[in-house]
Amino acid sequence: MEKRTEFLEKFYEMRNRAGKVHLFYSINKIIARIGEGTKLDKIYISKEYLSYLSEKIFGDKNRLGSFFSGSNSHVRLSLVDEFAKDFERNIVKEIQEDFMDLKKYNSSIFSEVRTRIETIMASEDKKIQTEDLVLFENYLTNWKSLENKIKNFIPEEFYNQKTNYFYTSLKSYVKFFDSFKENYEISKKFLENK
């Protein structure tokens, strides 16, 4: 019972705070900045994210990266976009859709998670149903997926640089995720042991 209560409190805190800062809804601002408000030649992406995009687009993690070798851990997004046009693929569009998919999914379960967890917390026995576990697991999975995408997108070299609004926005999300690392781990461990 004690572990269940701790899970519910930590999970609710993470979910409720995320709602207050409109974390997932604000992804729209990031999406709008890619290729629009921010010039592509001012945006660098990490090799890790490039590898992810290559796997997603070509089914080959190294296909894009092999054309941008070198000691740097980042690549100009404009160069990658120009290169990808040879394959009739719009990298900027792929990235926008990537973030939009996450936002859309999170938005769909946003209210449901909050409503359900408040109902459970208000009950005397704090009983969690099987369908609740699935709902909460999906929420945490998507939370981690978004965190990984954002962290992998920004090369570490840019973390402490106020280069432009684009990086400042992404870095604020990184800090937000870091502040809830303990909550995430407690919630994840609880669900894994159910």
Side-chain angles (χ1 to χ4, degrees):
M1 181 67 172
E2 187 178 333
K3 284 188 176 180
R4 187 185 309 158
T5 304
E6 182 187 25
F7 156 73
L8 289 168
E9 288 173 350
K10 293 290 184 183
F11 188 81
Y12 182 78
E13 183 185 11
M14 187 169 73
R15 159 61 190 87
N16 199 39
R17 278 281 303 282
K20 285 180 179 176
V21 299
H22 304 293
L23 177 71
F24 301 114
Y25 296 96
S26 297
I27 292 300
N28 269 337
K29 292 181 181 178
I30 292 177
I31 293 165
R33 292 280 169 175
I34 300 175
E36 294 178 18
T38 301
K39 292 183 179 178
L40 292 188
D41 61 1
K42 291 185 178 179
I43 299 176
Y44 290 83
I45 63 173
S46 66
K47 291 277 182 71
E48 289 89 348
Y49 198 82
L50 186 65
S51 179
Y52 160 79
L53 286 172
S54 188
E55 174 73 24
K56 178 185 172 191
I57 296 167
F58 300 112
D60 180 353
K61 291 180 73 172
N62 301 312
R63 187 166 182 182
L64 280 175
S66 63
F67 290 93
F68 300 99
S69 57
S71 58
N72 286 343
S73 63
H74 54 267
V75 183
R76 280 185 190 272
L77 182 54
S78 55
L79 292 177
V80 181
D81 190 49
E82 284 299 316
F83 171 80
K85 283 176 183 174
D86 291 339
F87 296 94
E88 298 183 344
R89 301 302 293 262
N90 185 334
I91 288 288
V92 176
K93 189 167 180 283
E94 295 285 345
I95 294 171
Q96 288 174 325
E97 289 176 352
D98 208 26
F99 280 97
M100 275 302 290
D101 284 345
L102 284 166
K103 175 193 171 291
K104 183 179 178 182
Y105 180 75
N106 272 296
S107 297
S108 70
I109 63 170
F110 220 56
S111 297
E112 192 178 353
V113 167
R114 180 174 184 175
T115 301
R116 188 61 198 137
I117 205 163
E118 284 180 344
T119 301
I120 296 169
M121 289 175 73
S123 67
E124 192 173 323
D125 60 359
K126 308 280 191 294
K127 189 172 182 181
I128 300 172
Q129 306 292 334
T130 304
E131 54 267 28
D132 296 327
L133 295 175
V134 174
L135 180 67
F136 299 157
E137 177 64 34
N138 286 341
Y139 185 86
L140 289 180
T141 298
N142 226 50
W143 171 282
K144 195 64 177 177
S145 183
L146 182 58
E147 177 188 26
N148 290 339
K149 279 183 173 58
I150 291 175
K151 281 188 173 181
N152 286 336
F153 194 88
I154 319 170
E156 287 187 27
E157 293 92 326
F158 295 94
Y159 271 16
N160 297 316
Q161 294 180 24
K162 292 186 177 179
T163 320
N164 53 44
Y165 176 85
F166 181 78
Y167 285 118
T168 305
S169 298
L170 289 175
K171 182 58 181 173
S172 68
Y173 291 120
V174 171
K175 286 181 179 177
F176 179 84
F177 282 118
D178 285 344
S179 70
F180 281 93
K181 191 172 184 179
E182 181 191 358
N183 295 50
Y184 172 85
E185 288 174 354
I186 288 172
S187 301
K188 192 70 177 171
K189 185 177 286 187
F190 177 84
L191 292 177
E192 286 172 351
N193 293 330
K194 291 307 287 180

